Amino acid sequence: MRNYELLRNLMVETQLIPRGIKDKRVLDTMRKVPRHLFMPEKYRDDAYEDMALPIGEGQTISQPYMVAIMTELLELNGDEKVLEIGTGSGYQAAILAELSREVYTVERIESLGDNVRLKLKEMGYDNIYVIVADGTKGLPEKAPFDRIIITAATPKIPECLIEQLNDGGIIVAPVGQRFSQILIKAKKVMGTMKEEYHTPCVFVPLIGEHGWKE
Ligand code: SAM
């Protein structure tokens, strides 16, 4: 049995801080949340390595650095209502839930969504709501949101997600081609989106009405 707490601290010291992650709340949360519990048993010992890993159904849990930078770019202060598109393993949702008021997370693959819902309940998270649906349409019945994070590659930020974001709100998403993207942070200022471009990245595709076709 590995010392997971030690591995988590090492992950923060060797992968996150040297690459410029500075937000203390993000770093502390990544030292705390047991990432290994969000992945299949056979990959648990690799949970704190510098890479994305398979979670079944052809999907992945994102690399720790990618989770950290996307979370930092969201500028959470603890009071936000957050929408995540692409629940996957549920790890990013757990990180967001530690740093905001409540998290709605949408997953397209039913088995993944159902597993995560159970797991998060067992772990005691009561401010995360897992919904199985096509997240490219957002979640109009729960809108508006203060923050939106898309954790799958999208050709563009769907217009309906922008409509579901409060003014002053932030969307973070990997935008670009199917096999290579750039991480974008877009802030809604008086109805228009002000975009910043961050690191290159590679995510699995966002598949749905306003994403890629299957
Ligand atoms: N955030 C996840 C985590 O912490 O493990 C990683 C997400 S994984 C890189 C991308 C996820 O997006 C996959 O689980 C995939 O099934 C999901 N996805 C793809 N298209 C989707 C859509 N239209 N709506 C909701 N989820 C979608």
Side-chain angles (χ1 to χ4, degrees):
M1 169 92 151
R2 316 280 302 267
N3 182 337
Y4 291 118
E5 191 181 346
L6 181 70
L7 293 176
R8 263 199 305 283
N9 277 313
L10 267 176
M11 170 187 83
V12 169
E13 299 298 329
T14 63
Q15 299 171 36
L16 308 187
I17 294 173
R19 288 187 178 124
I21 304 298
K22 289 191 180 64
D23 185 328
K24 186 173 179 310
R25 292 179 72 235
V26 174
L27 294 171
D28 287 348
T29 302
M30 296 209 44
R31 286 185 207 276
K32 174 180 157 189
V33 175
R35 178 173 163 92
H36 61 284
L37 296 183
F38 290 86
M39 48 185 70
E41 247 166 71
K42 65 175 172 179
Y43 294 118
R44 283 193 178 164
D45 284 355
D46 296 325
Y48 300 100
E49 300 291 329
D50 190 13
M51 57 175 131
L53 285 165
I55 54 167
E57 306 282 359
Q59 305 303 322
T60 53
I61 177 171
S62 306
Q63 177 197 25
Y65 170 64
M66 208 41 72
V67 174
I69 187 172
M70 291 179 90
T71 308
E72 184 170 76
L73 290 173
L74 286 173
E75 297 179 23
L76 298 168
N77 63 40
D79 197 34
E80 297 82 2
K81 180 174 166 187
V82 182
L83 174 65
E84 180 192 29
I85 311 298
T87 310
S89 69
Y91 174 65
Q92 174 79 71
I95 297 281
L96 297 170
E98 296 276 346
L99 294 165
S100 65
R101 187 176 77 239
E102 56 186 2
V103 178
Y104 292 83
T105 180
V106 184
E107 172 56 53
R108 164 182 170 264
I109 300 175
E110 193 170 7
S111 59
L112 291 178
D114 289 349
N115 279 343
V116 169
R117 196 180 294 112
L118 262 179
K119 182 174 301 177
L120 291 171
K121 194 170 173 213
E122 274 167 24
M123 293 176 88
Y125 285 99
D126 59 4
N127 61 339
I128 306 178
Y129 306 93
V130 181
I131 297 102
V132 173
D134 175 4
T136 67
K137 299 183 201 162
L139 202 56
E141 62 274 29
K142 297 292 176 190
F145 298 95
D146 304 305
R147 302 287 187 269
I148 299 178
I149 175 172
I150 308 177
T151 62
T154 181
K156 66 182 189 61
I157 297 175
E159 204 55 45
C160 56
L161 293 186
I162 295 173
E163 283 161 16
Q164 291 171 37
L165 184 69
N166 272 326
D167 208 57
I170 296 171
I171 298 186
V172 172
V175 180
Q177 308 301 312
R178 193 146 171 157
F179 299 105
S180 81
Q181 307 90 37
I182 182 128
L183 194 60
I184 289 187
K185 168 179 175 177
K187 186 164 188 174
K188 194 170 185 177
V189 183
M190 289 188 286
T192 56
M193 299 307 285
K194 308 273 179 212
E195 290 188 352
E196 276 175 18
Y197 296 84
H198 290 269
T199 184
C201 49
V202 181
F203 277 76
V204 294
L206 183 76
I207 294 171
E209 189 170 323
H210 304 295
W212 305 99
K213 301 299 160 225
E214 209 158 343

